[in-house]
Amino acid sequence: MEVLALGFSRTGTMSLQHALQEIGYKCYHMTEVVPNNAYGYWLEALKAKYGGEGRPYQRAEFDKVLGKYSVRTECSNRPHGVETHGQSAKVILTERDVDSWVVSMNRTIFEVHSWRLFRYFAWLEPNLMGPFWVLFTYILDIWTGGNINDRDRLRQTYRDHYTHARKVVPKEKLLDFRPGGGYPQLCEFLGRPAPGDKVYPHINQPDNIVRLFMRVWWITLWAAITKIGGMITAIIVAFLAVRWYSYV
């Protein structure tokens, strides 16, 4: 792992991911969890680190999923960080004012988590939505100390994360990155050429996040309806079969 981008969710991590890919890095973002069905993997790593369940993951365990990537972006699950890779990786921190961050989190992550039907769909669709919901909830519990409505604890978790990162990472290995610095600041730190006259990406706005989860919500709803419909059909067929055999 060459670079660890350890900013919290909603601090420009997805824009940073796209920028890093543009200059030649292969990035692992939380969006990789879905196509790789890695929910159970990260949940186990989190429970080992924060819940004391099992042996904490070491580099060998993380390399099973991250070995083919050169950058880890976003610290949503946070068991994998600079301690795992010693002092070899460069570290990029994306940060914003904590109060504006909480507002953004309320409009996106916590808004989605408040959708009551999601948890029932997770029960009805255990292959994808079930593991997603468990991991999603576990991460938010870590951030809020088990009280998802505790915004003071959320703020403190945010502050503690950045304080810790700046304490353990050597200054020459650390970039406090603001999107306004664009490719020049990023590429100078990484020792890579800037991608011509391309503009630094600015994506993943709050409304887009909610729309993305809304699409997932409808897909899950359809899967649940299909499953329920299949169960009802099976019951009807079984009932008719019993009735038919009772007459022959």
Side-chain angles (χ1 to χ4, degrees), residues 92-224:
I92 301 173
L93 289 180
T94 51
E95 188 180 9
R96 61 193 294 181
D97 171 75
V98 65
D99 290 322
S100 71
W101 175 74
V102 170
V103 170
S104 180
M105 290 290 290
N106 286 337
R107 290 177 58 194
T108 55
I109 304 300
F110 289 102
E111 168 67 23
V112 170
H113 194 268
S114 70
W115 296 347
R116 294 189 178 185
L117 286 179
F118 236 144
R119 67 193 67 186
Y120 301 113
F121 292 161
W123 176 75
L124 288 168
E125 209 294 290
N127 296 320
L128 176 61
M129 191 50 58
F132 164 79
W133 181 261
V134 172
L135 179 62
F136 188 25
T137 302
Y138 196 85
I139 290 171
L140 295 183
D141 281 343
I142 292 171
W143 292 355
T144 59
N147 180 0
I148 201 167
N149 296 314
D150 190 342
R151 295 298 182 265
D152 288 335
R153 178 60 181 269
L154 180 67
R155 288 182 176 86
Q156 193 59 50
T157 298
Y158 183 85
R159 293 188 184 103
D160 289 346
H161 170 74
Y162 288 97
T163 298
H164 176 71
R166 293 186 176 103
K167 180 180 179 180
V168 300
V169 179
K171 290 184 178 180
E172 67 274 11
K173 292 280 189 178
L174 177 65
L175 173 64
D176 276 298
F177 181 67
R178 303 283 177 168
Y183 281 116
Q185 182 190 17
L186 186 63
C187 293
E188 180 181 1
F189 173 69
L190 297 173
R192 296 219 171 183
D197 57 355
K198 289 197 173 182
V199 178
Y200 186 86
H202 187 61
I203 58 178
N204 209 20
Q205 296 302 303
D207 291 343
N208 294 337
I209 289 288
V210 175
R211 280 196 291 267
L212 172 62
F213 276 103
M214 184 62 72
R215 285 197 292 270
V216 174
W217 191 91
W218 281 110
I219 291 171
T220 306
L221 174 62
W222 177 250

Side-chain angles (χ1 to χ4, degrees), residues 219-232:
I219 291 171
T220 306
L221 174 62
W222 177 250
I225 291 172
T226 303
K227 182 175 182 178
I228 293 171
M231 293 169 60
I232 294 174

